[in-house]
Amino acid sequence: MRRSRTEKGRRGKSTRNFGKVMKCLCSGEQLRAADEMVPSENESLATKDRTTSESSSRAVEITKKPHTGNIEEAESSLRESGCLNYEEARALLGRYEYQKGNIEAALHVFEGIDIAALTPKIKFTLARGGERRRRRSQSFSTPPMSINAVTLLLEAILLKAKSLQDLGRFKEGAQSCKVILDVVESSLPDGLPQNFGADCKLQEIVSKSVELLPELWKLADCPHEAIMSYRWALLHHWNLEVETTAKIQKEFAVFLLYSGAEASPPNLRSQMDSSFVPRNSLEEAILLLMILLRKFCLKKIQWDPSILDHLSFALSVSGDTRALANQVEELLPGFMDRKEIFYKLALCYYGADEDSVALNLLRKLLSKSEDPMCFPALLLASKICGENPSHAEEGVGFALRAVESLDSTCDHLKSTAACLLGISLSAHSKSAVAEYERVKRQAEALQALETAGRMTTMSDPIIHYHLSLEYAEQRKLDAALDCAKQMLKLEGGSNIKSWLLLSRILSAQKRFVDAETIIEAALDQSGKWEQGELLRTKAKLQIAQGQFKNAIATYTQLLAFLQVQSKSYGYGKKLLKSNGNFSGRLELEIWHDLAYVYINLSQWSDAEICLSKAKVINAYSANRCHATGVLYETKGLYKEAIRAFLEALDIDPSHVPSLISTAVVLRRLGDRSHHSYTVVRSFLMNALSLDRTNHSAWYNLGLLYDSQGTPSSSLEAAECFEAAVFLEESAPVEPFR
């Protein structure tokens, strides 16, 4: 008895609710009554439609029929009411089930709608509606459906796509969503007229479909279709809101940057010849992000800091951080903190290889009036100074301030500051005039690097690299070798610089076979575009072993590799700052190396050909002028050799090989006068002030002292010869750094 009453109560409640649905359907308040009855986060997309009071009364009668709440019975009742046809009834019932959260039931209802049969009517109705709005004429034939009915059916398709998304059937959902856009585009090829369908929210359906389609393709793991959908959304006239378009542009840019999908260039037939057309995903993402920044500068959209973050990443990958600096400088004041602007611009200019500009910006940021203890800025300033010996002392100061600014116990930050301090001290030691000062700075540099290593329990490969480098330059080769091996192990052989340093240390120990084995292992581990420097080192090792023919073959292989590489790099594939114009520089040095090989083999014509090839690449190269001078010197043409060496010094006054060669030829040509002795000595001392580890400079200085024949000069000559022997025995085939 109690159960029977409960069932009757439920049925009565269901009847009353359904009666409200029918009443609102056939009265003038479709949306309002439905939304009051069914709370929903998504406002219904069907719109108000005025009907007569007779329809309302019919609906009240019909609502008494579906007692069970069964979908089929309700559907039949709606058809019998005469106010909605079969498809519209299912569309409304499906929306009702979807709003209640009955996703599977809603999908079942939506799948009963024959969209293919309705599509021609929908297209005709939309086309007629668009023509009336454009021409403001009522002379057209009556469309087969009302705009409200079209809206109701398109909403059903959209909700079907969302239902499929909720059920994890993403590809089917995307195909369903695409139907809406296909219908609208084919009906209105010139786009939706302004305020078209404003009274029935057709525009809202289109906007939501445009946003949903690429998301569904992404969830379906169809990147190509997602990219096409994004382009479709942005290139067709959907009459979207500015904020909606900006949202789609940002999502598309993020997808292009991080999805790993490489898209074919867009086919922009409407573009003018002078317009920029992106040729790859990276360029397309950059273009989208720049458009968003421009919209912000024009105050069309709200400021979104993540846009600049994504653009920073994109332009850094492309190697064009100078363009990023321009974008930052064009931002409206007040949206970025002044200190943040200084630091970001410094990073941009440093990435663009404009170190002096970056350093000046950091100096402003680290001034007393700004933020003198800004830790990231201090680290970057110390790094820049450590790469330039003329600013090394300033770099030491920045690194010390960075250490002082740390009030936390973070060993990683402390070790980074200590590492940069060691790098700056090492660079600063090279400018020391007095020997004791140089030795002191080198000891301090080594101590700072060892401290950084202990802070990280010797687990940071970057610290290992600089520590190994410092040991090697101080000719502590066993310690350098141990560090290099540990570094290679930590990195798993993924860094070319580690392989090169290890092979150079082995070559300094005169273990040329082992060094060449390391290079061969590195060639097996590395990608084809990373093998240039490895092959050059292999050739140098072969020269050190007297294998000149093998070296020439390796250089020939390397030149062929560079030619293929230059053709393979497409538009926009710029190399990062760490490589600079790597291919061009490497090819230039290869021709110089080959010229020296042919000079040693007395093949003058081949050497001249190599030098002519180098001149085509760079007519103002100190290395090329020096090689030309060596060629003249070998032929006995000393005056021509002097001119070539002096030309090299005009290009680069700090070119150590030319300083030494000039001194050698002058000593051969000159007399034993004091003036000649002083000139030759000045050249050699200048060379040693720039490179204290150059064994050739020490040897020739010893010869100069020995030629004086005095007891004191003989003692000085002996010291020079001793230094020359030690340095030659521990000299690598290429400089460690």
Side-chain angles (χ1 to χ4, degrees):
M1 187 73 176
R2 188 175 301 168
R3 181 178 178 183
S4 176
R5 289 177 182 172
T6 303
E7 289 178 354
K8 287 181 180 179
R10 289 176 180 171
R11 290 174 183 173
K13 184 177 180 181
S14 175
T15 302
R16 288 194 298 273
N17 285 345
F18 204 82
K20 290 181 182 180
V21 176
M22 293 306 305
K23 186 174 182 178
C24 75
L25 277 173
C26 301
S27 69
E29 301 295 329
Q30 292 178 353
L31 280 178
R32 192 177 303 167
D35 290 344
E36 288 174 358
M37 179 192 64
V38 185
S40 173
E41 295 180 1
N42 298 322
E43 183 184 357
S44 173
L45 299 178
T47 56
K48 303 175 184 179
D49 190 15
R50 296 181 179 178
T51 57
T52 63
S53 58
E54 294 178 1
S55 299
S56 178
S57 61
R58 282 203 307 270
V60 173
E61 293 175 4
I62 296 301
T63 53
K64 297 177 182 178
K65 295 185 179 180
H67 306 296
T68 62
N70 184 277
I71 291 173
E72 284 75 10
E73 292 182 18
E75 194 178 279
S76 175
S77 300
L78 286 169
R79 288 200 304 273
E80 291 173 9
S81 70
C83 60
L84 290 177
N85 61 27
Y86 176 83
E87 288 79 10
E88 293 167 9
R90 292 193 77 97
L92 199 60
L93 282 172
R95 187 188 73 184
Y96 178 58
E97 293 295 334
Y98 182 84
Q99 289 176 331
K100 288 197 301 180
N102 299 332
I103 304 301
E104 292 184 0
L107 182 59
H108 175 70
V109 175
F110 290 138
E111 286 177 339
I113 302 174
D114 189 355
I115 296 298
L118 292 171
T119 297
K121 296 180 181 179
I122 295 174
K123 289 182 177 181
F124 185 80
T125 301
L126 289 175
R128 281 289 180 264
E131 289 174 1
R132 280 200 298 271
R133 287 194 174 265
R134 281 192 295 270
R135 302 186 186 183
R136 301 181 181 277
S137 171
Q138 302 296 328
S139 61
F140 299 97
S141 59
T142 303
M145 303 176 69
S146 68
I147 291 295
N148 288 337
V150 169
T151 303
L152 187 62
L153 291 170
L154 291 180
E155 179 196 28
I157 303 173
L158 176 61
L159 293 179
K160 178 183 177 181
K162 288 186 174 182
S163 300
L164 290 166
Q165 179 186 12
D166 293 339
L167 295 173
R169 295 159 63 179
F170 305 120
K171 193 169 185 178
E172 295 175 59
Q175 291 167 345
S176 179
C177 186
K178 185 175 180 293
V179 170
I180 301 173
L181 302 183
D182 284 331
V183 168
V184 174
E185 184 185 44
S186 59
S187 307
L188 302 165
D190 296 328
L192 274 74
Q194 197 70 25
N195 297 323
F196 179 76
D199 55 337
C200 62
K201 294 194 177 180
L202 180 61
Q203 179 64 59
E204 189 175 348
I205 294 175
V206 172
S207 298
K208 290 190 175 183
S209 302
V210 168
E211 288 187 71
L212 180 61
L213 182 58
E215 293 299 322
L216 289 170
W217 283 127
K218 287 192 295 185
L219 291 170
D221 196 21
C222 299
H224 178 72
E225 287 78 3
I227 290 170
M228 293 300 103
S229 298
Y230 274 124
R231 289 174 178 167
W232 193 17
L234 296 174
L235 297 177
H236 189 71
H237 301 291
W238 301 112
N239 197 22
L240 303 177
E241 296 289 338
V242 175
E243 292 291 343
T244 302
T245 303
K247 179 183 176 185
I248 295 172
Q249 287 172 329
K250 178 186 171 183
E251 290 173 353
F252 187 22
V254 169
F255 182 73
L256 289 170
L257 282 177
Y258 309 116
S259 68
E262 184 61 40
S264 57
N267 182 17
L268 303 180
R269 290 172 292 179
S270 61
Q271 287 279 12
M272 297 174 62
D273 292 339
S274 59
S275 299
F276 172 75
V277 179
R279 303 189 186 185
N280 52 54
S281 295
L282 183 60
E283 286 188 1
E284 194 167 1
I286 292 171
L287 178 61
L288 289 165
L289 293 168
M290 284 187 168
I291 289 172
L292 288 170
L293 271 187
R294 178 60 57 192
K295 286 182 178 180
F296 161 71
C297 291
L298 296 174
K299 298 184 178 180
K300 291 184 177 180
I301 60 173
Q302 295 294 319
W303 170 240
D304 183 357
S306 66
I307 293 174
L308 195 59
D309 294 337
H310 294 308
L311 185 59
S312 300
F313 171 78
L315 288 173
S316 298
V317 171
S318 72
D320 195 2
T321 55
R322 186 64 176 80
L324 178 60
N326 294 336
Q327 295 297 316
V328 173
E329 289 170 347
E330 290 177 6
L331 286 176
L332 295 174
F335 285 90
M336 281 184 68
D337 183 71
R338 177 181 169 88
K339 299 172 185 176
E340 184 182 357
I341 290 176
F342 276 137
Y343 182 64
K344 191 173 285 288
L345 284 175
L347 284 172
C348 292
Y349 283 111
Y350 175 66
D353 207 11
E354 298 183 42
D355 293 358
S356 59
V357 179
L359 187 56
N360 286 334
L361 286 165
L362 291 170
R363 286 168 179 158
K364 290 180 181 179
L365 173 57
L366 296 170
S367 63
K368 292 181 180 179
S369 60
E370 295 293 341
D371 190 358
M373 302 305 283
C374 177
F375 184 74
L378 287 168
L379 291 184
L380 181 58
S382 178
K383 178 176 175 59
I384 293 173
C385 292
E387 294 172 355
N388 188 341
S390 60
H391 296 300
E393 185 175 4
E394 190 178 10
V396 173
F398 285 132
L400 288 172
R401 281 163 60 184
V403 173
E404 294 171 5
S405 68
L406 285 174
D407 53 3
S408 64
T409 57
C410 179
D411 286 340
H412 178 71
L413 294 178
K414 289 181 179 178
S415 66
T416 302
C419 180
L420 288 172
L421 175 61
I423 294 170
S424 294
L425 283 167
S426 177
H428 189 35
S429 68
K430 293 175 174 57
S431 62
V433 177
E435 182 66 16
Y436 77 91
E437 187 67 25
R438 182 180 65 84
V439 173
K440 177 186 174 184
R441 293 173 188 172
Q442 284 184 334
E444 291 173 347
L446 202 55
Q447 182 180 1
L449 291 169
E450 288 173 343
T451 301
R454 286 193 297 271
M455 287 179 179
T456 57
T457 62
M458 300 303 289
S459 60
D460 189 335
I462 296 176
I463 295 175
H464 270 287
Y465 176 79
H466 290 288
L467 189 57
S468 177
L469 199 58
E470 190 61 30
Y471 278 134
E473 290 192 330
Q474 295 187 28
R475 295 303 192 267
K476 300 177 180 180
L477 297 180
D478 290 336
L481 186 63
D482 290 339
C483 272
K485 288 179 178 178
Q486 288 296 321
M487 170 183 59
L488 201 63
K489 184 178 180 181
L490 288 170
E491 293 174 335
S494 61
N495 193 342
I496 296 297
K497 290 171 64 177
S498 303
W499 291 102
L500 288 171
L501 180 57
L502 179 58
S503 67
R504 288 167 185 172
I505 293 170
L506 288 169
S507 72
Q509 293 180 326
K510 307 309 175 195
R511 297 165 59 182
F512 299 120
V513 176
D514 293 338
E516 193 170 351
T517 301
I518 290 295
I519 293 298
E520 292 292 348
L523 289 169
D524 291 337
Q525 292 283 332
S526 60
K528 62 179 181 178
W529 299 136
E530 300 174 320
Q531 297 182 354
E533 197 66 28
L534 292 170
L535 288 171
R536 187 187 180 203
T537 301
K538 178 181 177 181
K540 289 288 187 73
L541 290 167
Q542 290 168 335
I543 292 170
Q545 298 173 75
Q547 301 171 2
F548 295 110
K549 289 185 178 180
N550 291 341
I552 292 171
T554 302
Y555 279 127
T556 304
Q557 177 188 353
L558 182 49
L559 286 170
F561 156 79
L562 290 177
Q563 187 176 10
V564 173
Q565 186 184 49
S566 64
K567 292 180 180 179
S568 299
Y569 276 122
Y571 181 87
K573 293 282 187 179
K574 294 185 178 180
L575 296 173
L576 300 178
K577 177 188 171 181
S578 58
N579 290 330
N581 185 16
F582 181 72
S583 296
R585 287 191 297 108
L586 183 57
E587 184 180 358
L588 184 65
E589 294 306 319
I590 290 167
W591 288 119
H592 295 157
D593 292 348
L594 276 171
Y596 286 120
V597 171
Y598 287 125
I599 290 170
N600 288 331
L601 295 174
S602 299
Q603 297 179 215
W604 316 127
S605 59
D606 290 332
E608 289 170 354
I609 291 172
C610 293
L611 292 174
S612 65
K613 295 281 189 182
K615 188 174 183 179
V616 171
I617 299 173
N618 186 357
Y620 301 98
S621 168
N623 286 332
R624 183 189 63 81
C625 293
H626 178 261
T628 303
V630 172
L631 177 60
Y632 285 135
E633 182 184 0
T634 309
K635 289 181 177 181
L637 304 172
Y638 297 124
K639 291 183 179 180
E640 289 81 355
I642 284 288
R643 281 198 294 268
F645 296 143
L646 292 177
E647 183 181 354
L649 292 173
D650 286 339
I651 296 171
D652 181 7
S654 61
H655 193 251
V656 173
S658 295
L659 288 169
I660 298 171
S661 295
T662 303
V664 171
V665 176
L666 285 175
R667 188 173 62 82
R668 288 178 178 174
L669 289 175
D671 50 28
R672 294 179 177 270
S673 66
H674 178 71
H675 175 72
S676 176
Y677 169 84
T678 304
V679 171
V680 172
R681 184 178 181 277
S682 67
F683 276 107
L684 293 172
M685 294 304 293
N686 285 339
L688 287 172
S689 67
L690 294 166
D691 183 7
R692 301 285 298 184
T693 61
N694 192 297
H695 63 87
S696 178
W698 284 109
Y699 174 72
N700 284 286
L701 185 61
L703 290 177
L704 182 66
Y705 285 142
D706 190 53
S707 65
Q708 297 301 299
T710 63
S712 59
S713 63
S714 297
L715 182 60
E716 289 176 329
E719 292 175 353
C720 290
F721 290 141
E722 184 180 359
V725 170
F726 170 74
L727 291 171
E728 186 178 17
E729 288 178 348
S730 58
V733 294
E734 290 181 300
F736 294 114
R737 195 179 295 277

mmCIF file of all heavy atoms in Angstrom, residues 26 49 68 92-93 127 190 226 241 258 302 517 542 585 669 676 712 724:
data_model
loop_
_atom_site.group_PDB
_atom_site.id
_atom_site.type_symbol
_atom_site.label_atom_id
_atom_site.label_comp_id
_atom_site.label_asym_id
_atom_site.label_seq_id
_atom_site.Cartn_x
_atom_site.Cartn_y
_atom_site.Cartn_z
ATOM 1 N N CYS A 26 5.090 25.144 -25.889
ATOM 2 C CA CYS A 26 4.067 25.697 -26.756
ATOM 3 C C CYS A 26 3.618 27.080 -26.322
ATOM 4 O O CYS A 26 2.789 27.696 -26.969
ATOM 5 C CB CYS A 26 2.867 24.753 -26.792
ATOM 6 S SG CYS A 26 3.318 23.118 -27.384
ATOM 7 N N ASP A 49 10.132 31.251 -28.541
ATOM 8 C CA ASP A 49 9.314 31.194 -29.752
ATOM 9 C C ASP A 49 7.861 31.393 -29.339
ATOM 10 O O ASP A 49 7.333 30.622 -28.528
ATOM 11 C CB ASP A 49 9.496 29.833 -30.438
ATOM 12 C CG ASP A 49 8.853 29.837 -31.806
ATOM 13 O OD1 ASP A 49 8.541 30.929 -32.304
ATOM 14 O OD2 ASP A 49 8.662 28.728 -32.352
ATOM 15 N N THR A 68 4.836 7.388 -17.413
ATOM 16 C CA THR A 68 6.001 6.601 -17.011
ATOM 17 C C THR A 68 7.304 7.355 -17.138
ATOM 18 O O THR A 68 8.324 6.895 -16.652
ATOM 19 C CB THR A 68 6.090 5.334 -17.876
ATOM 20 O OG1 THR A 68 6.263 5.740 -19.235
ATOM 21 C CG2 THR A 68 4.809 4.521 -17.760
ATOM 22 N N LEU A 92 14.668 18.396 -28.302
ATOM 23 C CA LEU A 92 14.327 19.000 -27.017
ATOM 24 C C LEU A 92 14.434 18.001 -25.875
ATOM 25 O O LEU A 92 14.943 18.310 -24.793
ATOM 26 C CB LEU A 92 12.921 19.586 -27.091
ATOM 27 C CG LEU A 92 12.600 20.617 -26.010
ATOM 28 C CD1 LEU A 92 13.549 21.799 -26.096
ATOM 29 C CD2 LEU A 92 11.157 21.080 -26.133
ATOM 30 N N LEU A 93 13.970 16.779 -26.130
ATOM 31 C CA LEU A 93 14.076 15.749 -25.092
ATOM 32 C C LEU A 93 15.540 15.399 -24.806
ATOM 33 O O LEU A 93 15.923 15.175 -23.660
ATOM 34 C CB LEU A 93 13.322 14.497 -25.527
ATOM 35 C CG LEU A 93 11.789 14.574 -25.372
ATOM 36 C CD1 LEU A 93 11.141 13.368 -26.009
ATOM 37 C CD2 LEU A 93 11.426 14.658 -23.898
ATOM 38 N N ALA A 127 20.549 29.902 -45.621
ATOM 39 C CA ALA A 127 20.905 30.714 -46.785
ATOM 40 C C ALA A 127 19.864 31.802 -47.025
ATOM 41 O O ALA A 127 20.203 32.962 -47.302
ATOM 42 C CB ALA A 127 21.040 29.825 -48.016
ATOM 43 N N ASP A 190 30.168 33.453 -47.089
ATOM 44 C CA ASP A 190 30.808 34.727 -46.751
ATOM 45 C C ASP A 190 30.777 35.015 -45.264
ATOM 46 O O ASP A 190 31.121 36.121 -44.829
ATOM 47 C CB ASP A 190 30.121 35.877 -47.505
ATOM 48 C CG ASP A 190 30.281 35.745 -49.005
ATOM 49 O OD1 ASP A 190 31.321 35.215 -49.432
ATOM 50 O OD2 ASP A 190 29.359 36.146 -49.742
ATOM 51 N N ALA A 226 43.352 18.367 -35.961
ATOM 52 C CA ALA A 226 43.254 19.466 -34.995
ATOM 53 C C ALA A 226 43.816 20.761 -35.583
ATOM 54 O O ALA A 226 43.220 21.839 -35.439
ATOM 55 C CB ALA A 226 44.000 19.100 -33.712
ATOM 56 N N GLU A 241 33.546 36.549 -31.204
ATOM 57 C CA GLU A 241 33.963 37.640 -30.333
ATOM 58 C C GLU A 241 35.486 37.731 -30.335
ATOM 59 O O GLU A 241 36.189 36.739 -30.555
ATOM 60 C CB GLU A 241 33.461 37.401 -28.905
ATOM 61 C CG GLU A 241 31.948 37.391 -28.757
ATOM 62 C CD GLU A 241 31.347 38.780 -28.921
ATOM 63 O OE1 GLU A 241 32.095 39.766 -28.720
ATOM 64 O OE2 GLU A 241 30.153 38.876 -29.267
ATOM 65 N N TYR A 258 54.102 22.706 -28.508
ATOM 66 C CA TYR A 258 54.424 21.636 -27.569
ATOM 67 C C TYR A 258 53.876 20.259 -27.959
ATOM 68 O O TYR A 258 54.177 19.284 -27.287
ATOM 69 C CB TYR A 258 53.895 21.997 -26.174
ATOM 70 C CG TYR A 258 54.312 23.372 -25.713
ATOM 71 C CD1 TYR A 258 53.376 24.368 -25.483
ATOM 72 C CD2 TYR A 258 55.657 23.678 -25.520
ATOM 73 C CE1 TYR A 258 53.751 25.639 -25.067
ATOM 74 C CE2 TYR A 258 56.046 24.945 -25.102
ATOM 75 C CZ TYR A 258 55.091 25.924 -24.880
ATOM 76 O OH TYR A 258 55.479 27.177 -24.477
ATOM 77 N N GLN A 302 42.403 41.415 -22.854
ATOM 78 C CA GLN A 302 43.012 41.580 -21.541
ATOM 79 C C GLN A 302 44.441 41.025 -21.547
ATOM 80 O O GLN A 302 44.772 40.123 -22.312
ATOM 81 C CB GLN A 302 42.185 40.853 -20.477
ATOM 82 C CG GLN A 302 40.790 41.430 -20.287
ATOM 83 C CD GLN A 302 40.813 42.834 -19.727
ATOM 84 O OE1 GLN A 302 41.598 43.146 -18.832
ATOM 85 N NE2 GLN A 302 39.960 43.702 -20.269
ATOM 86 N N THR A 517 89.685 6.769 -30.262
ATOM 87 C CA THR A 517 88.634 5.801 -29.912
ATOM 88 C C THR A 517 87.440 6.513 -29.274
ATOM 89 O O THR A 517 86.277 6.179 -29.546
ATOM 90 C CB THR A 517 89.186 4.737 -28.947
ATOM 91 O OG1 THR A 517 90.290 4.069 -29.558
ATOM 92 C CG2 THR A 517 88.117 3.725 -28.589
ATOM 93 N N GLN A 542 94.711 12.529 -36.151
ATOM 94 C CA GLN A 542 95.421 11.818 -37.219
ATOM 95 C C GLN A 542 96.669 12.584 -37.641
ATOM 96 O O GLN A 542 97.717 11.985 -37.916
ATOM 97 C CB GLN A 542 94.474 11.610 -38.404
ATOM 98 C CG GLN A 542 93.373 10.597 -38.121
ATOM 99 C CD GLN A 542 92.282 10.587 -39.169
ATOM 100 O OE1 GLN A 542 92.068 11.591 -39.859
ATOM 101 N NE2 GLN A 542 91.566 9.481 -39.288
ATOM 102 N N ARG A 585 81.750 28.991 -39.791
ATOM 103 C CA ARG A 585 83.032 29.058 -39.078
ATOM 104 C C ARG A 585 83.800 27.759 -39.203
ATOM 105 O O ARG A 585 85.019 27.756 -39.393
ATOM 106 C CB ARG A 585 82.793 29.381 -37.600
ATOM 107 C CG ARG A 585 82.378 30.815 -37.332
ATOM 108 C CD ARG A 585 82.407 31.150 -35.852
ATOM 109 N NE ARG A 585 81.444 30.347 -35.098
ATOM 110 C CZ ARG A 585 81.783 29.360 -34.280
ATOM 111 N NH1 ARG A 585 83.046 29.008 -34.129
ATOM 112 N NH2 ARG A 585 80.854 28.693 -33.613
ATOM 113 N N LEU A 669 115.330 37.771 -40.006
ATOM 114 C CA LEU A 669 115.708 38.852 -40.911
ATOM 115 C C LEU A 669 116.578 39.904 -40.251
ATOM 116 O O LEU A 669 117.372 40.577 -40.915
ATOM 117 C CB LEU A 669 114.441 39.546 -41.459
ATOM 118 C CG LEU A 669 113.593 38.753 -42.454
ATOM 119 C CD1 LEU A 669 112.328 39.527 -42.784
ATOM 120 C CD2 LEU A 669 114.384 38.468 -43.722
ATOM 121 N N SER A 676 116.400 45.460 -32.627
ATOM 122 C CA SER A 676 115.782 44.259 -33.171
ATOM 123 C C SER A 676 115.388 43.302 -32.053
ATOM 124 O O SER A 676 114.296 42.712 -32.070
ATOM 125 C CB SER A 676 116.746 43.571 -34.136
ATOM 126 O OG SER A 676 116.202 42.364 -34.602
ATOM 127 N N SER A 712 123.198 35.818 -17.689
ATOM 128 C CA SER A 712 121.820 36.022 -17.236
ATOM 129 C C SER A 712 120.817 35.612 -18.315
ATOM 130 O O SER A 712 119.782 34.992 -18.027
ATOM 131 C CB SER A 712 121.597 37.488 -16.868
ATOM 132 O OG SER A 712 121.853 38.333 -17.993
ATOM 133 N N ALA A 724 108.784 25.474 -22.104
ATOM 134 C CA ALA A 724 108.332 25.048 -23.426
ATOM 135 C C ALA A 724 108.210 23.532 -23.507
ATOM 136 O O ALA A 724 107.226 23.005 -24.058
ATOM 137 C CB ALA A 724 109.301 25.556 -24.488
#
